[in-house]
Amino acid sequence: MARQLDEQIAGRFPVGQRLRVLDVGMGQGTQALRLARAGHSVTGLESDASMLAAARESLATEPEGIRERVRLIEGDGRETGVHFLPGSFDVVLCHGVLMYVEEPDPMLAGLARMLAPGGLLSLLVRNADALAMRPGLAGDFGGALAAFDTATYTNRLGLSVRADRLDTLRGTLAGIAAPLHAWYGVRVFTDNVDNDVELPADEMERVLALEDRAGRTDPYRGVAALLHLCGVRG
Ligand SMILES: C[S@@+](CC[C@H](N)C(=O)[O-])C[C@H]1O[C@@H](n2cnc3c(N)ncnc32)[C@H](O)[C@@H]1O
C-alpha cells in the first residue's frame, strides 16, 4: 500500500516538492512519520488519545528536522473544517478509518474540501464486495455464506464495523469533486495471516511482490480484503 501511495504521489507532484499531507486517523503514525522522513510536512489528526500519545512517542525519537515538519492534533476526522482551512493540503490520507464511521459520505466530503486543486485523496477501506473471503478461506463456511448479505463484519478487535463497496465509493468520490483516479486491492492472499508473523527476508520480499502484483491485477484485486482508492480533486 505504501508503494502504491508513493507511486500516486510521484505521478502527481514534481519530485522534491514538499507536500502538505493530512493523515486522518493516523493511529500510531506509521505513514505520517514515513512521509515526514521523505521530506513532506505532515499533520496527523487522531481521535484516540492513547494512539496520539504513541505517535508522539515515536515522533520524539526522530531527528529535529523531521520533528519540526510534523503536527499532531487530537480531533475527529469528521470535523476537519474545525481545524483546517479548505484547500490547505496536497494529500489527504484516510487509511483504515472509514470502517469506524457510520456515515462516511459527510466525512469524505469534508476530506475532499481539505484538498487543493489536483490534490490526492488516499482511502484504505474494507472491501464489502468480498467479505465472504476471510471466513470462507478460514473454513468457516456458515460465516462465509452469511457475509454475502451484509456490509458489516467483525474485525480482529471483536468490534462490529462497516465495509465499503467500490462502486458506491466511486459514486461518492465523483459527487464530491474528487473522482476515482486509481484503485488497488490490498491483502489479496494475506488477510488470514497474523500481523505479527515474522517471515525470513526473502520470503517477505516474495509476499510483498505477490501482493503488489495481485493488487493491480483483475480479477484478484476485486476480492482483496482491503481496497486502496485514490481520488483526485478537480
Ligand atoms: C485501524 S487504525 C488505522 C491507523 C492508520 N491510519 C494506519 O493505517 O495504520 C484506525 C485509527 O483511526 C482512528 N479513528 C477512528 N475514527 C476516527 C475519527 N472519526 N476521527 C479520527 N480518528 C479516528 C482510530 O482511533 C485509530 O487510531
Side-chain angles (χ1 to χ4, degrees):
M1 200 276 309
R3 190 157 152 186
Q4 300 156 359
L5 178 62
D6 290 348
E7 193 178 287
Q8 288 297 322
I9 288 176
R12 299 217 65 72
F13 303 102
V15 176
Q17 183 179 334
R18 176 167 294 180
L19 301 172
R20 300 160 297 169
V21 179
L22 173 63
D23 188 355
V24 172
M26 63 168 182
Q28 299 180 355
T30 310
Q31 289 303 318
L33 285 182
R34 194 180 70 80
L35 291 168
R37 287 186 202 115
H40 304 301
S41 296
V42 183
T43 302
L45 182 66
E46 169 59 55
S47 58
D48 183 310
S50 59
M51 284 291 183
L52 197 68
R56 282 196 207 290
E57 226 170 88
S58 304
L59 181 61
T61 66
E62 296 288 328
E64 193 187 342
I66 292 173
R67 283 203 314 269
E68 66 189 17
R69 287 204 295 276
V70 179
R71 262 191 313 169
L72 301 179
I73 298 175
E74 186 170 344
D76 195 311
R78 292 168 297 187
E79 296 172 354
T80 42
V82 170
H83 300 282
F84 316 110
L85 290 173
S88 39
F89 294 96
D90 304 301
V91 178
V92 172
L93 312 183
C94 183
H95 291 176
V97 181
L98 236 51
M99 301 80 170
Y100 302 101
V101 177
E102 264 179 46
E103 287 184 30
D105 289 9
M107 174 164 162
L108 289 173
L111 299 186
R113 270 196 296 276
M114 292 300 117
L115 283 170
L120 180 70
L121 177 60
S122 170
L123 305 174
L124 188 68
V125 304
R126 176 64 54 172
N127 183 5
D129 292 321
L131 285 179
M133 296 297 284
R134 182 189 279 185
L137 293 178
D140 172 8
F141 303 125
L145 261 179
F148 278 89
D149 301 315
T150 176
T152 61
Y153 67 102
T154 302
N155 70 9
R156 288 184 205 278
L157 305 172
L159 300 172
S160 175
V161 289
R162 268 182 3 85
D164 288 282
R165 297 192 193 279
L166 176 63
D167 280 346
T168 307
L169 283 179
R170 191 195 300 276
T172 303
L173 291 174
I176 58 175
L180 188 64
H181 168 78
W183 69 275
Y184 309 88
V186 175
R187 293 196 176 214
V188 177
F189 298 109
T190 54
D191 191 39
N192 281 328
V193 177
D194 201 316
N195 284 341
D196 300 329
V197 165
E198 284 192 17
L199 295 175
D202 58 342
E203 185 68 349
M204 181 58 109
E205 215 170 286
R206 271 195 289 275
V207 170
L208 292 176
L210 171 66
E211 283 289 343
D212 185 61
R213 183 81 191 264
R216 300 164 188 272
T217 308
D218 288 322
Y220 303 103
R221 64 178 183 161
V223 295
L226 302 166
L227 298 176
H228 179 197
L229 280 69
C230 298
V232 174
R233 178 80 175 166

